Amino acid sequence: MNLQTKIPLSSQEPKINYDSEIVMLGSCFVENIGEKFEYYKFKNNINPFGILFHPKAIETFLWMTSQDEKYTETDVFYHNEHWHCFDAHSSLSNADKDILVSDLNKGLSNARKKITAATHIFITLGTSWVYRLKSLDMVVANCHKIPQQEFDKQLLSVEEVTQCLQNCIHLIRSLNTSAKIVFTISPVRHAKDGFVENTRSKSHLITAVHEVLDRDQNVGYFPSYELMMDELRDYRFYTTDMLHPSELAIQYIWERFSEIWISEKTKTTMKQVEEVQKGLIHRPFNPNSKQHTAFLQKLSSKKNQLQKEYPFMSF
C-alpha cells in the first residue's frame, strides 16, 4: 500500500519469534492483533477477563493476578438472568454462579502463569472514561447493562492514568522482571461518549503513556492510534459504523507492527503457517480427484514439518 504520509518506526528489541510468549491485555483492538498472532500460531494469551477498556480495569486485573487473589460468590451479582462480575467483561458472565466464579479464578491462575513466563506484554488502552458504582464506590470494568443512574461517569486525569500505568508496570514486574512491556492506544473511537469527549479521553491516555515512557526506558510504545489517524485517513479503512478499523486497516497496522517487532527468520515461518492455513480452508471442485489427494498429502507434509519444529502449533 503506497501512502504519502508514513510515521517513522524505530526497530525494537527483543524481537518476537516462535519461542516468544506473548500476553495481550486491554481494549478491543487487542483482539484484532491477537487474532493475527493466533492465525500465525504464536504462543499467546489474550484478555483472560475479556475486553478491558480503561487502565483502571487493567490495573485491577493485574493486582488480582499478581497478589494471587481469588474471587468468591460475594464478588458476583445476578442481573438479567445471568451472574456477572464488575471486574470482567460480559463474555465471562454465566447463568451458573459457580461456573462464573470458577472461570474467574481459572483466568487469574492461568494469567499469572502466562505473565510470569511472558517475553512480551502488550497493553492497549481504549478510554480514560470510567464508571464508578455509587453503592460500592468502586470503578468497574463493565457495567453489565445496570441502569446508568447507578453510576457516576468520570474522566481520569492525566496524573491518574499515569499513576495507574506505573502501577501496572510494577505489578507485572513483581511477577516478571524481564518481559518487554509495550503500550499502545486503541484507534477505535468511543462515539457513545461523544466525539469531543473521545478526543479528550484519548489525549489523556497518550499524554500519560508518554510520561511513563519518559521515565522508564524499558517500556515500549507502538503507535496504532497514530497509524490509524495519520496514515489511514480514508473511509475504506473503517467498518460501516465508521468507528472501527476495517480488515484492510487491521492488516496494514499488523504489517507495520511486523516491520519492527517480528524477526526476519520468523516471517519465513509465518509464510509457511499461512500456506497451511489457506490450504485448510481450501474447498476443492472434486474432492475425490488425484489432484486433490496430492494436494492433501502435500498439505499434511507441510503441517507435520511445522509441528515437528514447533510442537505447540495446533491446526
Side-chain angles (χ1 to χ4, degrees), residues 61-76:
F61 170 76
L62 289 171
W63 189 87
M64 292 292 291
T65 301
S66 62
Q67 302 305 304
D68 206 15
E69 291 285 334
K70 302 293 181 187
Y71 285 97
T72 68
E73 62 181 23
T74 61
D75 299 310
V76 300

Side-chain angles (χ1 to χ4, degrees), residues 126-129 153-158 161 185 189-190 193-208 225:
T127 181
S128 300
W129 288 103
K153 184 177 179 181
Q154 302 172 347
L155 181 67
L156 297 176
S157 67
V158 171
V161 177
I185 308 297
R189 286 177 291 179
H190 291 237
D193 292 325
F195 287 105
V196 173
E197 290 79 5
N198 173 73
T199 300
R200 292 177 63 196
S201 167
K202 298 291 189 186
S203 66
H204 284 205
L205 295 177
I206 293 168
T207 303
Y225 176 82

Side-chain angles (χ1 to χ4, degrees), residues 40-246:
Y40 287 107
K41 300 301 176 182
F42 285 89
K43 291 183 284 186
N44 66 90
N45 185 261
I46 307 167
N47 277 341
F49 271 23
I51 296 168
L52 301 175
F53 292 100
H54 59 75
K56 280 289 186 183
I58 299 170
E59 181 186 1
T60 298
F61 170 76
L62 289 171
W63 189 87
M64 292 292 291
T65 301
S66 62
Q67 302 305 304
D68 206 15
E69 291 285 334
K70 302 293 181 187
Y71 285 97
T72 68
E73 62 181 23
T74 61
D75 299 310
V76 300
F77 65 96
Y78 192 71
H79 180 67
N80 285 342
E81 301 182 351
H82 271 71
W83 290 90
H84 312 272
C85 177
F86 280 123
D87 291 343
H89 189 264
S90 57
S91 58
L92 273 76
S93 299
N94 199 288
D96 188 310
K97 176 174 61 176
D98 293 335
I99 291 177
L100 171 59
V101 173
S102 176
D103 287 346
L104 290 168
N105 289 324
K106 285 178 183 176
L108 288 178
S109 177
N110 186 52
R112 184 181 177 89
K113 293 175 184 175
K114 295 294 184 181
I115 290 172
T116 301
T119 57
H120 298 77
I121 298 175
F122 293 91
I123 298 177
T124 300
L125 307 172
T127 181
S128 300
W129 288 103
V130 300
Y131 287 86
R132 183 178 293 276
L133 182 65
K134 295 176 185 178
S135 61
L136 297 177
D137 190 30
M138 62 175 284
V139 173
V140 303
N142 196 290
C143 295
H144 298 294
K145 298 185 178 179
I146 299 290
Q148 191 165 349
Q149 61 264 28
E150 300 294 326
F151 301 90
D152 284 327
K153 184 177 179 181
Q154 302 172 347
L155 181 67
L156 297 176
S157 67
V158 171
E159 292 75 18
E160 287 173 316
V161 177
T162 302
Q163 184 61 59
C164 185
L165 300 184
Q166 289 177 323
N167 292 344
C168 289
I169 293 169
H170 173 75
L171 292 168
I172 290 171
R173 288 181 175 160
S174 71
L175 295 176
N176 183 335
T177 58
S178 61
K180 181 69 175 182
I181 302 171
V182 184
F183 287 104
T184 186
I185 308 297
S186 170
V188 178
R189 286 177 291 179
H190 291 237
K192 66 179 182 179
D193 292 325
F195 287 105
V196 173
E197 290 79 5
N198 173 73
T199 300
R200 292 177 63 196
S201 167
K202 298 291 189 186
S203 66
H204 284 205
L205 295 177
I206 293 168
T207 303
V209 166
H210 285 281
E211 287 196 7
V212 170
L213 292 173
D214 289 341
R215 300 175 190 178
D216 193 332
Q217 299 301 311
N218 294 318
V219 176
Y221 181 69
F222 178 69
S224 55
Y225 176 82
E226 292 81 356
L227 289 172
M228 191 73 196
M229 295 299 111
D230 296 321
E231 290 191 16
L232 306 180
R233 298 174 302 195
D234 190 282
Y235 291 145
R236 65 195 162 118
F237 298 119
Y238 290 88
T239 57
T240 54
D241 66 4
M242 301 307 294
L243 301 173
H244 290 79
S246 66

Side-chain angles (χ1 to χ4, degrees), residues 250-312:
I250 293 168
Q251 180 61 29
Y252 178 80
I253 294 173
W254 168 254
E255 289 171 1
R256 295 284 270 145
F257 176 91
S258 300
E259 287 175 22
I260 62 170
W261 277 110
I262 296 179
S263 69
E264 290 304 315
K265 180 183 177 182
T266 301
K267 290 175 185 177
T268 300
T269 305
M270 288 169 63
K271 290 178 181 177
Q272 296 170 353
V273 171
E274 187 168 27
E275 288 176 6
V276 173
Q277 292 283 50
K278 288 181 176 179
L280 290 172
I281 63 173
H282 174 70
R283 294 293 177 264
F285 178 74
N286 182 1
N288 300 316
S289 67
K290 291 182 180 180
Q291 183 181 13
H292 183 61
T293 300
F295 169 81
L296 291 177
Q297 290 173 344
K298 187 176 181 181
L299 179 64
S300 179
S301 176
K302 289 180 180 179
K303 185 167 64 173
N304 291 337
Q305 185 177 350
L306 281 169
Q307 290 175 323
K308 184 178 179 179
E309 188 172 359
Y310 305 102
F312 60 86

